[in-house]
Amino acid sequence: MRDYPQFYLFGLFVGLMASVESRDGVRGISPNQEPFYRQAKDFRCLDGSQIIPYDRVNDDYCDCGDSSDEPGTSACPNGSFHCTNAGYKSYVIPSSRVNDGICDCCDGADEYSHRVTCGNLCVELGQQMREEAVKQHQLLLEGHKVYGEYCVRGQQAITEKQARLVDLEKERDGIEAKRAALEAVKNEAEKSEKEAKDVHRQQWEAQKAKLMEEKKKVTALEAFKELDTDQNDLVSIQEIQSHAEFDIDSNGEVSLDEAKEYLEEHDEIDFDDFLAKVWDNINQIYRKPGSERVEPPEAKEELTTPTPEGSDGGGDDDDDEGEGSDEGEGNEDEEDDDKEDGQIPRHDDNKKRSKA
């Protein structure tokens, strides 16, 4: 039992207030807490920590550890006071604000000691709150209306785009069909063109080979005639020895063995054997009389049509008529080199030799 004689007069005041609360209910609790504050012999703290006499509820002394015995006073530091605020919204304030001289509840219930006079503003605040709620509701209705309009527009846009998509797919299918047809035509044309090109290429390769063979034969014949100094239609070892370019070991003379090596071990050879066996071996070595040795450039195959004999000016005999193209692709380069070096071109020298 507590002993606080110094609060005797205040206890009497609390007793009077308790008699008021017994008529109006327990101050500072919410309606859903009323079943726990029924007037009985004893009061159980809401945390179940202890049971105290009911007259200690709201006696301005904190008995329960959870402050549940002082909902209507500021005795407990961690207590709370429920503002009923009839006509407005209820809320909870810390119990330390009870009877502190400031009106916290709109109905003034927290200042029941009458240190200050609190008017009841709950009806006015409730009216303002309801007007604001009506405005918010109207705004929501307008927003919902706009939302519905956008939904309709969106659905219309979706329908239009789906229809457009169907049209585009049909158009695409038509274009694909046309493309496939044109592709087939193109492939057929390319096939025919390729076949024609292949035939033309084969014909041209055959013609080119023929032209090259003819050119080789003409060049070889000119060389053969120049080597055949006795004009007996045979090239002999002695005639080969008269050309210093066939000196393999560079000792100043063409030996018998060197000459036979070029003639494939024959003493003399006719034009057919010369063309078949000898010319390919000496065409890069042989040079016309009176011309200087010029190293031929690297051969570059050119698809050119050979010019007719004697196209570069003609001459007095057969030798003069073929000198413009007699040495193949390399001799023309040699003639240009002769001119650049200040030497007499080969065909002029041969003309002099033939006249002599």
Side-chain angles (χ1 to χ4, degrees):
M1 295 295 292
R2 294 176 301 170
D3 185 13
Y4 43 94
Q6 64 271 28
F7 296 108
Y8 176 77
L9 295 177
F10 183 75
L12 179 63
F13 173 75
V14 171
L16 293 175
M17 294 302 298
S19 63
V20 173
E21 290 180 349
S22 63
R23 294 193 302 270
D24 298 334
V26 179
R27 190 189 307 278
I29 64 173
S30 62
N32 60 351
Q33 290 179 323
E34 289 181 0
F36 301 104
Y37 289 89
R38 293 175 182 173
Q39 292 187 9
K41 183 177 180 181
D42 297 318
F43 173 78
R44 179 184 294 275
C45 297
L46 297 185
D47 63 357
S49 58
Q50 59 178 319
I51 298 175
I52 60 175
Y54 191 80
D55 59 1
R56 294 187 182 179
V57 175
N58 282 340
D59 65 347
D60 204 26
Y61 190 89
C62 193
D63 296 287
C64 298
D66 61 355
S67 307
S68 57
D69 64 314
E70 300 297 325
T73 71
S74 59
C76 296
N78 58 342
S80 58
F81 183 88
H82 181 268
C83 297
T84 302
N85 297 337
Y88 189 54
K89 57 183 178 181
S90 60
Y91 47 79
V92 176
I93 62 173
S95 60
S96 59
R97 296 182 183 180
V98 175
N99 290 326
D100 63 349
I102 299 175
C103 299
D104 296 288
C105 300
C106 66
D107 58 1
D110 61 312
E111 299 298 326
Y112 58 84
S113 65
H114 303 295
R115 290 174 57 187
V116 294
T117 301
C118 297
N120 191 337
L121 304 177
C122 292
V123 175
E124 182 180 353
L125 293 176
Q127 182 64 26
Q128 294 177 0
M129 182 181 67
R130 285 186 289 275
E131 290 176 356
E132 185 64 26
V134 170
K135 291 180 180 179
Q136 290 294 327
H137 179 69
Q138 185 64 29
L139 185 61
L140 289 175
L141 290 178
E142 293 176 358
H144 187 268
K145 181 179 178 181
V146 174
Y147 169 77
E149 293 175 355
Y150 277 108
C151 287
V152 173
R153 294 180 185 177
Q155 188 61 43
Q156 290 176 350
I158 291 174
T159 303
E160 292 174 358
K161 290 184 180 296
Q162 289 176 343
R164 176 59 178 162
L165 180 61
V166 172
D167 294 339
L168 290 175
E169 288 176 348
K170 291 180 179 179
E171 183 178 353
R172 181 199 62 189
D173 294 340
I175 293 174
E176 286 292 334
K178 291 180 180 179
R179 187 195 66 80
L182 293 174
E183 184 75 17
V185 174
K186 180 180 76 72
N187 292 337
E188 186 64 26
E190 288 179 347
K191 180 180 179 182
S192 301
E193 182 180 359
K194 183 177 182 300
E195 293 175 353
K197 284 183 176 180
D198 291 340
V199 172
H200 181 269
R201 184 182 301 108
Q202 294 172 0
Q203 293 175 349
W204 169 241
E205 291 293 337
Q207 182 181 1
K208 183 180 71 170
K210 182 179 179 180
L211 292 173
M212 294 297 291
E213 187 64 27
E214 291 177 353
K215 183 177 180 180
K216 173 183 175 182
K217 186 175 181 180
V218 170
T219 306
L221 180 59
E222 291 177 354
F224 182 84
K225 288 181 178 181
E226 290 176 351
L227 289 171
D228 182 19
T229 56
D230 58 5
Q231 298 183 356
N232 64 346
D233 295 329
L234 294 171
V235 173
S236 64
I237 291 177
Q238 291 76 16
E239 290 170 333
I240 290 293
Q241 288 179 314
S242 66
H243 283 255
E245 66 266 24
F246 297 125
D247 180 12
I248 297 176
D249 54 11
S250 301
N251 63 351
E253 64 177 0
V254 180
S255 67
L256 181 64
D257 291 336
E258 289 173 336
K260 279 191 172 183
E261 182 176 347
Y262 282 111
L263 291 182
E264 299 291 333
E265 303 302 324
H266 292 86
D267 293 334
E268 57 185 10
I269 195 168
D270 62 10
F271 176 71
D272 291 335
D273 288 337
F274 178 83
L275 177 63
K277 300 177 181 180
V278 177
W279 179 242
D280 288 338
N281 296 329
I282 70 170
N283 65 346
Q284 297 297 328
I285 302 174
Y286 166 76
R287 65 178 183 271
K288 295 179 180 180
S291 64
E292 295 294 332
R293 166 72 183 221
V294 177
E295 291 296 331
E298 294 184 0
K300 294 184 179 179
E301 183 178 355
E302 298 181 358
L303 301 182
T304 58
T305 303
T307 57
E309 294 183 359
S311 61
D312 58 344
D316 297 333
D317 50 27
D318 294 338
D319 293 341
D320 296 333
E321 291 177 356
E323 288 173 356
S325 59
D326 57 355
E327 293 302 319
E329 296 173 356
N331 291 342
E332 294 177 359
D333 294 335
E334 292 176 2
E335 183 178 10
D336 293 337
D337 293 338
D338 292 341
K339 292 179 180 180
E340 292 175 359
D341 296 335
Q343 299 174 357
I344 299 175
R346 182 181 301 170
H347 62 274
D348 292 340
D349 181 70
N350 291 339
K351 286 181 181 179
K352 294 179 181 179
R353 181 178 59 79
S354 62
K355 290 179 181 180

